[in-house]
Amino acid sequence: MYYSEDVVEEVRQRSDIVDVISSYVSLKKSGSNFFGLCPFHNEKSPSFSVSGSKQMYYCFGCGAGGNVFTFLMEYENLTFQEALGQLADRAGMALPEGGSSEEGRKQRDTRERILEIHKLAANYFYAKLNSDRGKGAKQYLFDRQLSEETIRRFGLGYSDKYSNDLYQYMKKKGFDDTILNQTGLFTFHEKYGAGDKFWNRVMFPIMDKTNKVIAFGGRVMGDGKPKYLNSPETLIFDKSRNLYGLNFLHGKLDHGIIICEGYMDVIALHQAGFTNAVASLGTAFTSQQSSLLKRYSDTVYLCYDSDGAGVKAALRAIPMLKEAGITVRVIDMRPYKDPDEFIKALSAEEFKKRIDGAVNSFFYEIGVLRQQYDMDDPAEKTKFMNEAAKKCLAFEQEIERNNYIEAFCREYGVRTDDFRQLVRHHAAAMAGMTYQKRREERETQKQSAKENGTTRIQGILLTWLGEDLSLFAALKEVVGPEDFVDEPYRSVATMLYEQAETGAISPATIISRFDSKEEQSVVAGIFNRQVKEVSAQAEREKALNEMVKTLKKASLEKRSREVTDMNELQNLILEKKKLEHLHITIQK
């Protein structure tokens, strides 16, 4: 459902952001705000701020920010409508029937119709699998040692060998090409007409965490190419923010999560009793998926294929998972390629032993590194030791670093003092590089500050206006929203000025007016800008006048460059001259 701004605002007002976020994040009061460890990036010192007065959050570390809707959408991986519904339920509020605007109703209908088509398609594929036409596909799954119960549990199906079979079925159901074209299930060709994206394949429905079918994967039977075919991204499917098998995860899992490469690996593990297995969706593992997994467990077991591609995939995933604050261990399945093959050859009990013996991600990386060097060659061995020492620098805490240094030395028969000295050498070299990099960054920032002084002033002035309603009386005759020359500052200024006329400022409401998460974070940053505290009225007036003059001058110069009427240009010149004598007084 899509609802009016009034309905959305009522849900927001009845959902205190401090109460909502504190159910996910441990918060402590500090001054007028609450602080905690940011749930969107890994940190050791709390920089995540929640304001009850502004009804918004902002992380000074990673820049994530927004209102209560933004938080729930990000943390729970929900759409706006899902977050709205969840908050309404939490507040004991019944949402009105029907959509709000014509556009809203169209968006709602499109999304619901795409979900309906996917549900019908899943049922259709399942029915085909269990029909005479699907005997070959059914036998293929039996040959892969899948039980009838497992096939039913995962909703596996079959897409017929006729290339427009599903399309004809959907047309009989009354769906037109406009909506079918948005599902990702069909192809439309000017010469050949419409057809199915998937045909003559075993079908794997992909579900979100609410068990709604949002996409499909199709596996060819035999040696056809491509081996796996996956749904493209659609209005209901973002593959970088979903995982196959996610719908089977519930609550916080103390025993960790197993990440595999493919659908069959997940299914084989579930059938063997490992119902905490998931897989990425036809693409490389992403940081968004890391954040998603962090909500379910603090430990992940990588169970990628044991070939070269699987090793590379594991090495890519490890830093992303660690950045999300997840402990990573790697399961060794050699001599078998994947978990499906392993369990068939041995047993679930043997696989459990491999889980228990999974290697720490640091030693997995060291093991892969070691294979690149000839350890019988002194020069090669020295290179290996230097690279291993550099890897130890990833541990920020000295005690943790020392523990790994000692463990490494035991494993590779190296004198601890010698290796520790090598680590210190690389730490010193890295510190020098870091200092040089920071110095270069400071120079770049200085130059950027000169070039973007007006942008900075726009942000500071909006921060002041958002915190002090009395400033509008002093400024409204001098500065208007049109003087904020950059976006989103101009849009925020327009809304602030509108709110000021009503006598109440609500940053959370303004955040809701922006659609994307990125824009909402920027706007949240505007209202949480850290500005030097100016307590004396004379100093505050001086700073305000300087900012207004700079802002107004930039605005007039921009308008002068764009004006074509000579009289208007003369008026702008007069306004510039008036700036020399401008003085704004702040009422006590």
Side-chain angles (χ1 to χ4, degrees):
M1 286 289 181
Y2 286 76
Y3 301 94
S4 69
E5 287 187 8
D6 290 341
V7 171
V8 171
E9 182 62 11
E10 183 181 354
V11 173
R12 188 195 64 75
Q13 289 180 3
R14 293 173 64 169
S15 304
D16 181 72
I17 195 166
V18 177
D19 288 343
V20 172
I21 293 182
S22 62
S23 65
Y24 296 94
V25 179
S26 178
L27 299 175
K28 291 185 179 180
K29 198 165 196 305
S30 178
S32 59
N33 292 341
F34 293 83
F35 282 85
L37 296 175
C38 180
F40 304 118
H41 82 286
N42 190 26
E43 64 176 7
K44 294 181 173 63
S45 300
S47 60
F48 183 75
S49 169
V50 183
S51 170
S53 59
K54 296 177 182 177
Q55 284 297 296
M56 59 181 291
Y57 69 92
Y58 186 74
C59 176
F60 294 99
C62 68
N67 58 16
V68 69
F69 296 118
T70 320
F71 178 85
L72 211 58
M73 289 164 67
E74 274 299 287
Y75 194 92
E76 293 282 12
N77 195 30
L78 303 177
T79 65
F80 175 78
Q81 301 304 319
E82 290 168 341
L84 180 70
Q86 190 165 316
L87 287 171
D89 290 342
R90 191 178 191 276
M93 176 181 168
L95 293 172
E97 292 293 329
S100 54
S101 64
E102 184 64 28
E103 182 182 358
R105 283 192 291 273
K106 285 180 180 178
Q107 288 178 323
R108 173 205 66 200
D109 290 343
T110 299
R111 181 180 174 81
E112 289 183 351
R113 282 168 71 80
I114 292 175
L115 284 169
E116 181 186 0
I117 289 168
H118 275 75
K119 182 178 180 180
L120 286 170
N123 290 334
Y124 186 75
F125 292 143
Y126 183 77
K128 282 288 180 185
L129 181 71
N130 292 283
S131 69
D132 288 340
R133 283 174 146 177
K135 283 182 178 179
K138 191 72 170 285
Q139 188 58 49
Y140 168 82
L141 294 174
F142 286 153
D143 291 343
R144 296 293 299 263
Q145 298 182 21
L146 297 188
S147 68
E148 191 75 58
E149 181 185 351
T150 296
I151 292 170
R152 184 170 56 252
R153 184 168 187 251
F154 282 87
L156 305 185
Y158 169 66
S159 55
D160 210 322
K161 63 182 179 180
Y162 300 105
S163 61
N164 66 347
D165 194 59
L166 182 65
Y167 175 75
Q168 294 298 335
Y169 174 75
M170 292 299 175
K171 294 298 287 185
K172 290 177 183 178
K173 288 288 185 180
F175 296 102
D176 59 41
D177 287 352
T178 302
I179 189 67
L180 293 178
N181 195 31
Q182 297 180 63
T183 64
L185 299 177
F186 307 97
T187 58
F188 292 85
H189 195 279
E190 188 175 331
K191 182 178 180 180
Y192 302 107
D196 300 345
K197 180 179 177 66
F198 301 96
W199 52 280
N200 200 28
R201 289 175 178 267
V202 172
M203 299 300 294
F204 300 82
I206 298 166
M207 304 179 195
D208 64 13
K209 64 180 186 177
T210 62
N211 287 306
K212 292 177 181 175
V213 180
I214 56 175
F216 289 93
R219 208 268 191 211
V220 71
M221 294 171 290
D223 299 323
K225 299 290 183 181
K227 181 179 177 181
Y228 279 98
L229 188 63
N230 301 293
S231 287
E233 294 196 347
T234 64
L235 185 63
I236 63 172
F237 178 52
D238 180 349
K239 56 190 172 186
S240 70
R241 299 174 67 88
N242 285 280
L243 291 158
Y244 185 70
L246 182 68
N247 54 305
F248 295 110
L249 300 184
H250 302 289
K252 200 76 170 176
L253 305 177
D254 295 333
H255 54 291
I257 296 171
I258 302 171
I259 304 179
C260 311
E261 283 194 50
Y263 307 129
M264 284 303 301
D265 293 328
V266 172
I267 294 171
L269 284 172
H270 276 248
Q271 182 170 270
F274 304 99
T275 57
N276 56 332
V278 297
S280 50
L281 296 162
T283 56
F285 191 75
T286 67
S287 57
Q288 293 98 321
Q289 288 168 333
S290 296
S291 300
L292 184 59
L293 287 172
K294 175 65 174 174
R295 302 171 196 172
Y296 295 94
S297 183
D298 296 323
T299 304
V300 157
Y301 294 88
L302 289 180
C303 193
Y304 288 159
D305 291 359
S306 57
D307 58 13
V311 171
K312 288 181 180 178
L315 293 176
R316 283 195 303 266
I318 286 170
M320 285 186 279
L321 289 161
K322 291 173 75 173
E323 179 65 24
I326 295 174
T327 298
V328 187
R329 305 189 75 83
V330 183
I331 300 172
D332 182 4
M333 291 175 294
R334 291 175 297 181
Y336 302 100
K337 182 184 177 184
D338 55 43
D340 182 27
E341 188 179 292
F342 183 100
I343 290 172
K344 285 175 183 174
L346 298 178
S347 65
E349 290 75 18
E350 287 300 316
F351 189 79
K352 177 63 169 61
K353 292 178 183 178
R354 293 293 178 100
I355 294 176
D356 294 338
V359 66
N360 176 287
S361 61
F362 170 79
F363 283 104
Y364 175 79
E365 291 177 298
I366 291 292
V368 173
L369 182 67
R370 184 187 185 282
Q371 295 173 18
Q372 300 172 22
Y373 298 93
D374 180 1
M375 299 298 282
D376 293 327
D377 183 326
E380 289 281 293
K381 187 174 182 179
T382 300
K383 290 179 182 178
F384 166 69
M385 291 297 171
N386 276 286
E387 291 303 315
K390 291 177 185 177
K391 282 195 171 293
C392 290
L393 298 178
F395 302 105
E396 295 180 4
Q397 291 184 346
E398 186 175 355
I399 188 170
E400 184 180 20
R401 188 187 309 147
N402 284 333
N403 287 336
Y404 276 95
I405 287 173
E406 291 171 3
F408 173 85
C409 292
R410 285 195 301 271
E411 180 71 20
Y412 288 93
V414 182
R415 285 181 55 184
T416 305
D417 290 343
D418 292 344
F419 190 69
R420 185 175 283 118
Q421 186 176 350
L422 186 61
V423 172
R424 288 181 185 140
H425 167 76
H426 286 292
M430 184 175 288
M433 293 172 60
T434 302
Y435 174 78
Q436 178 64 23
K437 183 179 179 181
R438 286 178 179 172
R439 189 169 70 176
E440 292 172 358
E441 288 176 348
R442 283 196 296 270
E443 291 301 319
T444 303
Q445 288 170 357
K446 286 180 183 177
Q447 185 63 31
S448 178
K450 291 178 182 177
E451 295 173 352
N452 299 310
T454 304
T455 302
R456 183 177 62 85
I457 285 171
Q458 289 177 93
I460 294 174
L461 195 54
L462 288 173
T463 299
W464 282 21
L465 289 170
E467 293 176 348
D468 187 354
L469 188 60
S470 67
L471 287 180
F472 285 95
L475 294 183
K476 66 179 181 180
E477 300 300 328
V478 181
V479 176
E482 69 280 359
D483 293 311
F484 291 81
V485 295
D486 300 315
E487 288 293 351
Y489 301 102
R490 175 172 287 189
S491 296
V492 173
T494 301
M495 297 177 209
L496 268 177
Y497 274 72
E498 289 173 355
Q499 288 185 348
E501 293 298 323
T502 68
I505 300 297
S506 174
T509 302
I510 292 176
I511 291 171
S512 291
R513 302 282 182 86
F514 291 85
D515 296 327
S516 74
K517 176 182 74 69
E518 290 75 19
E519 287 178 315
Q520 291 180 347
S521 291
V522 170
V523 175
I526 291 173
F527 289 115
N528 281 273
R529 186 179 291 270
Q530 293 178 310
V531 183
K532 181 181 178 182
E533 188 68 29
V534 181
S535 56
Q537 181 163 340
E539 290 183 18
R540 188 173 173 80
E541 281 188 359
K542 180 182 177 182
L544 181 64
N545 277 277
E546 288 176 354
M547 285 192 294
V548 169
K549 287 179 181 179
T550 302
L551 183 65
K552 193 72 178 179
K553 183 180 178 182
S555 173
L556 292 172
E557 287 176 351
K558 183 175 185 294
R559 288 159 61 188
S560 297
R561 291 193 297 269
E562 298 170 352
V563 73
T564 55
D565 182 76
M566 185 57 67
N567 290 329
E568 187 176 349
L569 180 60
Q570 288 177 342
N571 290 333
L572 292 174
I573 293 171
L574 287 174
E575 282 194 62
K576 285 183 183 179
K577 288 183 178 180
K578 289 180 183 178
L579 286 178
E580 298 174 8
H581 307 287
L582 177 68
H583 182 76
I584 300 169
T585 303
I586 302 176
Q587 298 296 323
K588 294 183 180 180

